[in-house]
Amino acid sequence: MKKIIGTLFISVVLATMLSAMGQDENKNNTTPVIFKLASTQSLEMRSLKALQRMADDVAVKTNGKVVVQIYPSSQLGDQRDYMEGIQMGTVEMCLIATGAIESFDPHFAIYGVPGLFHTSEQIHAFYNTPISQKVCDTFLKEHGVRTLGLYDEGIRNVWLVNKQVHKLEDFKGIKLRVPEVPVYVKMFEALNCNPTPLTWGELYSGLQTGIVEGLENNVEMVVTSNLTDMIKYEIKTEHVYSTLLLMINENALNRLDTETKKIFLECIAAGNDDAWKQFTEGQKQAYQTAAARGVKTITLSIEERKRVDDKLMRVTRDTLKNLFPDSIYAEIANLKK
């Protein structure tokens, strides 16, 4: 019996020593942990510039232990590709449109349905509510992907090559590129457009060849992707406030020791704040660039805008009816006060 107890004691001691050695080895390991960060956006976008500054900050403050490598312009595939990759661990991080996550969890539709949010302040206030945090926490639990922050893209409008729109009826039949997200298809079906899902990488050639006659998106995406080579008109629909989420594979995050993880998350938080501060100026500059390239803005009359909004709000209520209680609308309305 004493021999057995002695053997067990030695085994426990050895296991404890090996565990401690493993932690020390991980902490002192000079091989950097590399996080690949995927995005469809170009490096000219304000949000990716902020992420590059964040990546530089991470490298400096972790003494090179963590390296964030940014892959812009769909280099790692479209948004569905790298969301699948991040769940499998082949991609560690991504900056992804909230609408693109809907096919993995429909509750993310709350961030991107028409008519709910119109300003940066409103969407950031909502992001910090228990409702929003529950959506993100559930996704972490079920898919192993943690949400690190929310990034603004701004209000989305319709951009057309040749056609002008002044009233609801003018939307009829327009071949409009939309993301591969069901709510966006429904949105423009409600306006009697011909919504055509294309990946972002297919859009430029789609406009050139006439597969589509325009798109809906925020001004920075239009300008930095040089779509103003073809786009002549912006229609002020302001149908959706566009946001992105910065996400990371939880197992990848947990590869970091406690101290390094703390530093990494502090850099992420600082980067998120940096991006938000730069947002307004980025929008202003993008609109100036679009105007300088000859894009003309068409503002709908109050009456026509209401007709458009009424159509789109029906899509919102239909999309959210089985996902959130009706009280969600009053709670969001209170954020706007």
Side-chain angles (χ1 to χ4, degrees), residues 72-88:
S73 304
S74 304
Q75 289 181 14
L76 297 184
D78 62 28
Q79 294 185 104
R80 183 175 183 86
D81 291 334
Y82 57 70
M83 177 47 70
E84 290 174 347
I86 203 171
Q87 291 178 79
M88 293 186 293

Side-chain angles (χ1 to χ4, degrees), residues 38-51:
S39 174
T40 58
Q41 295 188 338
S42 76
L43 287 174
E44 296 304 310
M45 289 288 288
R46 170 199 45 78
S47 50
L48 252 62
K49 288 180 179 179
L51 284 176

Side-chain angles (χ1 to χ4, degrees), residues 203-220:
L203 175 57
Y204 195 94
S205 62
L207 289 169
Q208 285 181 318
T209 58
I211 292 175
V212 290
E213 301 169 281
L215 68 147
E216 63 71 51
N217 217 303
N218 68 83
V219 63
E220 265 198 288

Side-chain angles (χ1 to χ4, degrees), residues 39-243:
S39 174
T40 58
Q41 295 188 338
S42 76
L43 287 174
E44 296 304 310
M45 289 288 288
R46 170 199 45 78
S47 50
L48 252 62
K49 288 180 179 179
L51 284 176
Q52 186 58 63
R53 290 191 293 272
M54 177 274 294
D56 295 341
D57 196 32
V58 167
V60 170
K61 291 185 177 176
T62 64
N63 294 316
K65 290 182 179 179
V66 183
V67 175
V68 178
Q69 297 177 343
I70 297 176
Y71 291 81
S73 304
S74 304
Q75 289 181 14
L76 297 184
D78 62 28
Q79 294 185 104
R80 183 175 183 86
D81 291 334
Y82 57 70
M83 177 47 70
E84 290 174 347
I86 203 171
Q87 291 178 79
M88 293 186 293
T90 56
V91 178
E92 289 79 21
M93 298 178 70
C94 69
L95 186 67
I96 186 168
T98 51
I101 315 175
E102 288 179 42
S103 57
F104 300 92
D105 184 343
H107 290 86
F108 279 89
I110 189 67
Y111 297 97
V113 288
L116 288 190
F117 308 104
H118 293 95
T119 69
S120 177
E121 290 74 19
Q122 290 169 6
I123 191 67
H124 279 270
F126 175 73
Y127 176 70
N128 291 310
T129 63
I131 298 170
S132 173
Q133 291 308 303
K134 182 179 179 182
V135 172
C136 296
D137 289 346
T138 300
F139 197 70
L140 170 60
K141 181 179 179 181
E142 295 181 355
H143 296 271
V145 179
R146 177 179 294 276
T147 303
L148 295 174
L150 181 139
Y151 280 59
D152 295 83
E153 282 194 302
I155 206 76
R156 296 171 83 106
N157 290 299
V158 170
W159 305 79
L160 299 174
V161 174
N162 289 312
K163 295 186 176 181
Q164 298 185 32
V165 170
H166 296 278
K167 59 183 185 297
L168 176 61
E169 287 76 14
D170 293 341
F171 283 106
K172 186 174 182 179
I174 293 177
K175 294 181 291 184
L176 198 72
R177 181 270 174 183
V178 296
E180 298 173 291
V181 178
V183 70
Y184 279 80
V185 175
K186 293 176 183 176
M187 232 186 287
F188 289 97
E189 284 178 341
L191 299 183
N192 289 319
C193 289
N194 182 9
T196 306
L198 292 176
T199 66
W200 191 252
E202 298 170 316
L203 175 57
Y204 195 94
S205 62
L207 289 169
Q208 285 181 318
T209 58
I211 292 175
V212 290
E213 301 169 281
L215 68 147
E216 63 71 51
N217 217 303
N218 68 83
V219 63
E220 265 198 288
M221 285 294 281
V222 172
V223 168
T224 59
S225 299
N226 292 318
L227 301 182
T228 46
D229 292 347
M230 293 161 284
I231 294 296
K232 294 180 181 177
Y233 300 103
E234 177 201 23
I235 317 301
K236 282 281 190 181
T237 50
E238 299 182 334
H239 50 278
V240 166
Y241 193 90
S242 186
T243 55

